[in-house]
Amino acid sequence: MGFDSNVFINTAVVDMYGKCGVIKLAQKLFDEMPERNVVTWNALISGYLDTHYPENAIAMFLEMLREGVSPTPSSVSAVLVGCTQLEACELGAQLHALIWKAGFALNLVVGTVLIDMYSKCLDLETSRRVFNQMPERNVITWTSMITGYAQEQCPFQAMTLFKEMLKLGIRPNYVTYTSLLSSFSCPDYLVHCEQVHCHVIQQGFNTNHYLVVTLLSVYSECSCSLGDFQKLCSDIMKWDEISWNAVIAGFSNLGIGGEAFTCFARMRRAGFTVDHYTFASILKAIGSISGLEEGMQTHCLALKTGYTFEVFIQNGLLSMYTRCGRLEEAERIFSSMEERDLISWNSLLTGCAHHGYGRDVMVMFEEMRRCGIKPDLTTFLAVLSACRHAGLLDEGIKYFDLMNNDNSLPPPKLEHYACIVDLYGRAGHLHEAEAFINNMPIEPGPSVFKSLLSACQLHGNKELAVISAKKLVELCPNDPATYILLANVLASEGNWNDAEGQRKLMLDRGLSKKPGYSWL
């Protein structure tokens, strides 16, 4: 029709080819065009981004600058998306400087993409600075900043920003709520999760599929009650792979392995495809109930579907077999792995430590360090636990000092200190254990005093046992086990009236000891 030299029609065709994923034809047409404008360049750059070639998009932008074509806000926004996909923070910062020179820094769209780029490149400080400088912000801008805090697990900053957003009258969308909820990942944040959930219901988003699935994941990670989780499951309107994976992962996080496996079987009977997320969740659930037979069946299914070559799944199998006590199977998987990460080593070390292979754990730990894998606090906890079970006091103290003096690691946690107290206690060094507790840089918790109390009972130090037991009652006034422990210590000293008083105090406070049960 004679329109082949029309720049506007050709630009539209370049854009069409890019959006349809035929980027080679888009590039060919672009090269043949006798005339191009900035919109033509933007169309091709966006096409490369849509087809997941961010390097090509950036290369085209640089060529555009070399040819003297002035960029528009759409140009720089597209290239910033490419920097985000590549996590190229340095290149993004250079582009930020160009944006200031071009006068686009206060543009709403450009500013929002800058916030997202810096957040995904883990530079929250600069991201917040861009946010604060923007004269105009919309819901996407606020959501991008909240998402940045959520990705870095900064729930309080995300909540503060969310409240500020509400005060200014900006209505959150479902993406805002999804991002905010994803920042809650431990029992300490369960109350915040419930508060946001109430707001979700008030705003009418409680039937949104993505939000329901997010709520399932977050509630289970925050250790909600089984009843609350099951109530959330009843809100699912659309049962697809995402829903099933969220439910299975939720039961797995709550330690309800049998229910997770039942849902896994129902998912397969319904004809849905299982993926690596499904396998990771179900293997964790099986490990929590030591379901070896179910674990072996799942291993066979993973072999058939070809997922056993993924490190993610191999780590899940490692953890499952170690929890089920099949260390030979775990070691066979570990030996066959072409790539081992920190989680692989931690799974095997923790399993061997749990089953009493103290010396083997230390040998593996040194091998891990020789392979260039840097240990974390979980690694050291496994090593300290192994030393504790094997009664290796000197080795345990050596590894604790190694961890404590490593400035690249966070400070030791309470469980690490409890291991050392237990090491001293098992060796009969009760006064050293007491001195260690008194010099702790953090407040001693129940696990520390339980370790000391156990050692005192073992070695007959009744005076220190009473002190430890009373401290436990102060720290855990609602735990019936602490009253029973103190009563037993007092009774062993012959203080029958005081022992009876502790049991009466426990009953007066409405507490009762849960009966033990056996799996046999």
Side-chain angles (χ1 to χ4, degrees):
M1 296 181 67
F3 295 135
D4 54 318
S5 60
N6 186 294
V7 65
F8 303 107
I9 293 177
N10 280 339
T11 297
V13 176
V14 168
D15 185 60
M16 180 273 295
Y17 278 133
K19 285 186 168 62
C20 291
V22 194
I23 195 63
K24 286 184 178 179
L25 287 179
Q27 180 70 64
K28 186 173 184 295
L29 177 59
F30 179 88
D31 293 337
E32 293 171 352
M33 286 176 65
E35 182 188 354
R36 307 169 191 141
N37 58 23
V38 68
V39 182
T40 316
W41 287 90
N42 289 350
L44 187 60
I45 291 169
S46 297
Y48 275 118
L49 288 174
D50 292 339
T51 50
H52 309 292
Y53 292 105
E55 299 94 338
N56 299 60
I58 293 168
M60 289 304 301
F61 178 75
L62 295 175
E63 186 179 337
M64 168 181 145
L65 294 180
R66 281 193 294 269
E67 291 200 10
V69 180
S70 298
T72 64
S74 297
S75 313
V76 294
S77 297
V79 181
L80 280 171
V81 171
C83 294
T84 303
Q85 291 176 3
L86 295 170
E87 295 184 2
C89 192
E90 187 177 342
L91 183 61
Q94 292 175 6
L95 188 58
H96 191 180
L98 176 65
I99 287 167
W100 271 107
K101 289 180 180 179
F104 303 143
L106 303 181
N107 180 278
L108 177 62
V109 175
V110 174
T112 301
V113 180
L114 271 170
I115 289 167
D116 188 57
M117 186 272 294
Y118 279 119
S119 296
K120 290 202 167 96
C121 292
L122 308 181
D123 188 354
L124 276 179
E125 186 179 343
T126 306
S127 184
R128 185 58 190 262
R129 191 159 58 244
V130 172
F131 178 85
N132 291 339
Q133 290 170 347
M134 291 179 65
E136 181 188 357
R137 307 169 192 142
N138 60 14
V139 64
I140 301 173
T141 314
W142 286 88
T143 300
S144 294
M145 194 66 245
I146 290 170
T147 303
Y149 283 125
Q151 288 170 343
E152 284 298 288
Q153 293 298 304
C154 301
F156 291 113
Q157 291 90 330
M159 278 289 285
T160 302
L161 204 62
F162 178 74
K163 290 175 182 176
E164 188 180 338
M165 175 183 179
L166 294 179
K167 285 179 184 176
L168 293 173
I170 298 172
R171 190 172 184 266
N173 57 26
Y174 80 91
V175 181
T176 317
Y177 286 114
T178 301
S179 296
L180 179 61
L181 285 165
S182 65
S183 66
F184 308 136
S185 57
C186 72
D188 295 340
Y189 303 129
L190 180 58
V191 174
H192 300 303
C193 181
E194 292 170 340
Q195 291 171 346
V196 176
H197 188 188
C198 289
H199 211 277
V200 166
I201 295 171
Q202 287 175 352
Q203 296 299 315
F205 286 120
N206 53 306
T207 57
N208 183 282
H209 181 59
Y210 298 103
L211 262 178
V212 171
V213 169
T214 302
L215 282 165
L216 282 169
S217 301
V218 174
Y219 264 105
S220 65
E221 288 174 1
C222 292
S223 301
C224 68
S225 68
L226 179 59
D228 286 343
F229 184 77
Q230 290 173 327
K231 199 177 297 180
L232 272 173
C233 291
S234 64
D235 290 337
I236 298 175
M237 308 295 291
K238 176 184 174 185
W239 285 93
D240 55 11
E241 285 89 350
I242 299 172
S243 307
W244 281 112
N245 281 344
V247 171
I248 292 168
F251 280 121
S252 177
N253 290 334
L254 294 173
I256 317 294
E259 193 64 37
F261 196 78
T262 300
C263 290
F264 177 68
R266 287 173 58 195
M267 176 184 181
R268 293 198 63 224
R269 281 198 299 270
F272 290 103
T273 304
V274 294
D275 57 19
H276 55 277
Y277 294 110
T278 323
F279 278 115
S281 298
I282 198 62
L283 287 170
K284 178 182 175 183
I286 292 168
S288 70
I289 59 171
S290 298
L292 180 60
E293 185 177 344
E294 292 86 349
M296 293 174 72
Q297 292 172 358
T298 306
H299 188 179
C300 289
L301 180 62
L303 281 166
K304 287 179 181 178
T305 51
Y307 281 105
T308 50
F309 294 104
E310 295 189 19
V311 176
F312 199 56
I313 305 305
Q314 290 170 333
N315 288 340
L317 288 166
L318 259 177
S319 180
M320 183 273 294
Y321 277 120
T322 54
R323 288 187 177 193
C324 293
R326 295 293 291 266
L327 293 183
E328 290 182 3
E329 289 291 338
E331 287 174 357
R332 190 176 297 120
I333 291 170
F334 186 81
S335 300
S336 67
M337 292 174 70
E338 293 183 5
E339 180 187 350
R340 300 167 187 152
D341 58 13
L342 179 60
I343 298 173
S344 314
W345 285 95
N346 282 351
S347 296
L348 190 60
L349 287 168
T350 302
C352 290
H354 182 74
H355 292 285
Y357 295 93
R359 297 282 182 188
D360 293 338
V361 168
M362 287 188 289
V363 171
M364 283 188 287
F365 177 75
E366 296 301 336
E367 176 64 23
M368 169 185 168
R369 294 175 70 194
R370 281 193 295 272
C371 291
I373 304 292
K374 183 172 174 53
D376 63 359
L377 292 183
T378 303
T379 318
F380 279 106
L381 183 61
V383 176
L384 292 175
S385 298
C387 293
R388 179 179 64 179
H389 288 309
L392 304 170
L393 176 61
D394 293 337
E395 290 84 351
I397 293 172
K398 181 187 79 173
Y399 287 119
F400 181 83
D401 290 339
L402 180 65
M403 171 185 63
N404 205 22
N405 295 329
D406 190 338
N407 294 326
S408 65
L409 288 174
K413 295 185 177 180
L414 199 59
E415 50 263 37
H416 298 94
Y417 288 102
C419 279
I420 298 300
V421 171
D422 199 43
L423 268 169
Y424 276 124
R426 290 184 184 219
H429 302 306
L430 299 180
H431 294 296
E432 287 85 346
E434 184 182 19
F436 182 80
I437 293 172
N438 293 333
N439 291 321
M440 281 174 56
I442 60 175
E443 191 69 27
S447 59
V448 172
F449 288 105
K450 283 179 181 178
S451 295
L452 182 59
L453 177 58
S454 176
C456 290
Q457 289 178 310
L458 178 65
H459 295 286
N461 190 326
K462 295 179 180 178
E463 182 181 348
L464 190 55
V466 170
I467 295 172
S468 302
K470 287 182 176 178
K471 191 67 179 177
L472 265 176
V473 172
E474 290 176 17
L475 290 172
C476 307
N478 296 320
D479 183 2
T482 58
Y483 295 91
I484 299 294
L485 282 170
L486 180 54
N488 290 342
V489 170
L490 292 169
S492 67
E493 280 195 307
N495 299 327
W496 296 103
N497 291 333
D498 291 339
E500 181 60 29
Q502 286 299 318
R503 290 182 177 272
K504 185 176 184 303
L505 179 62
M506 180 183 76
L507 295 174
D508 290 343
R509 292 184 175 179
L511 304 173
S512 60
K513 185 179 181 297
K514 292 181 180 179
Y517 66 92
S518 171
W519 283 12
L520 299 178

